[in-house]
Amino acid sequence: MITVHHLNESRSQRILWLLEELAVPYEIQFYWRDAHKMAPAELRGVHPLGKSPVITDDGRAIAESGAIVDYVVRHYGGGRLCPKAGSSDYDDYVHWLHYAEGSASLPFVMLPIANSFGKMATPLRRRVDYELDLNLGYINGRLEGRDYLLGDALTAADVQMSFVGELAVNFADVSALPNLAAWVGRFQARPAYKAAIARGGPYPYAKG
Ligand SMILES: N[C@@H](CCC(=O)N[C@@H](CS)C(=O)NCC(=O)O)C(=O)O
């Protein structure tokens, strides 16, 4: 059975959600951030990076959320939550899976750093704002006329991108990005999303 090594208030929440969507049985091993918001050292005993999420399954540890989402869908999805392999939709799906952590989340990593340096960080802040506008505008544009990133139905690409959407509505100005804000509201209303919150514990980015 899959064990999700779940750090509070973290990207591993979306792995719980994915497993709930697929109705795959799983166990949770809980870890708590320290006073500096870092993961506890014991997580390094699971995987050398000591980051969350990481899952263990069949004697293996798999780290990096995009790789975990891909693993779960390939091993447990039975064709659910992803387009047909070989289709052009599948190529788009892979793009969103990689884009989430490869590019879209980076300005949100830089944002608290820029904020902590105050005025000294003005040039960095300008760059962060530029990247936020670029990336969040791109996501909002993609969602024009679509309920989910690939069309009418949720895929695992939405699950992987969900953390970026949640950071956007909590830390960026999304008043001019109605599609993005509506998408976050839509996926957070799903029963599987709520079930994952109930199992994973307090999660500050879930509304309602
Ligand atoms: N790109 C990685 C990011 C992993 C990551 O930085 N996770 C954060 C939680 S959202 C973490 O473990 N932070 C605690 C720490 O760095 O000690 C992924 O998507 O898995």
Side-chain angles (χ1 to χ4, degrees), residues 1-6 12 14-20 22-30 46 53-63 67-77 80 199:
M1 184 185 292
I2 291 179
T3 299
V4 181
H5 298 267
H6 177 58
S12 55
R14 61 187 164 187
I15 306 302
L16 306 183
W17 174 30
L18 176 64
L19 292 164
E20 291 289 341
L22 292 170
V24 174
Y26 64 97
E27 289 170 348
I28 304 178
Q29 181 82 45
F30 287 90
V46 183
V54 58
I55 62 167
T56 44
D57 187 34
D58 211 11
R60 302 179 57 198
I62 298 150
I68 296 169
V69 167
D70 185 33
Y71 175 92
V72 169
V73 169
R74 277 187 291 110
H75 288 262
Y76 294 94
R80 293 170 295 160
R199 278 198 69 178

Side-chain angles (χ1 to χ4, degrees), residues 7 9-11 14 33 37-39 50-53 63-66 101 160 163:
L7 182 68
E9 302 185 8
S10 82
R11 287 163 166 86
R14 61 187 164 187
R33 291 178 185 270
K37 293 275 184 190
M38 299 299 282
K51 302 278 182 191
S52 177
E64 194 60 48
S65 50
E101 290 295 324
Q160 174 64 0
F163 193 65

Side-chain angles (χ1 to χ4, degrees), residues 59-164:
R60 302 179 57 198
I62 298 150
E64 194 60 48
S65 50
I68 296 169
V69 167
D70 185 33
Y71 175 92
V72 169
V73 169
R74 277 187 291 110
H75 288 262
Y76 294 94
R80 293 170 295 160
L81 292 190
C82 74
K84 200 170 170 320
S87 65
S88 68
D89 275 355
Y90 194 88
D91 296 333
D92 285 352
Y93 166 79
V94 171
H95 163 73
W96 291 104
L97 274 192
H98 287 263
Y99 168 71
E101 290 295 324
S103 299
S105 70
L106 290 183
F108 290 105
V109 174
M110 290 154 66
L111 188 61
I113 300 170
N115 286 343
S116 72
F117 282 99
K119 279 203 169 124
M120 266 168 58
T122 300
L124 176 60
R125 182 65 214 234
R126 263 194 225 114
R127 178 61 192 268
V128 171
D129 288 343
Y130 167 81
E131 294 293 341
L132 285 173
D133 283 353
L134 179 68
N135 286 282
L136 300 185
Y138 172 58
I139 298 163
N140 188 67
R142 173 67 188 192
L143 289 163
E144 181 68 42
R146 292 181 175 93
D147 280 353
Y148 294 102
L149 291 165
L150 271 293
D152 293 341
L154 179 93
T155 69
D158 296 285
V159 178
Q160 174 64 0
M161 280 291 295
S162 63
F163 193 65
V164 171

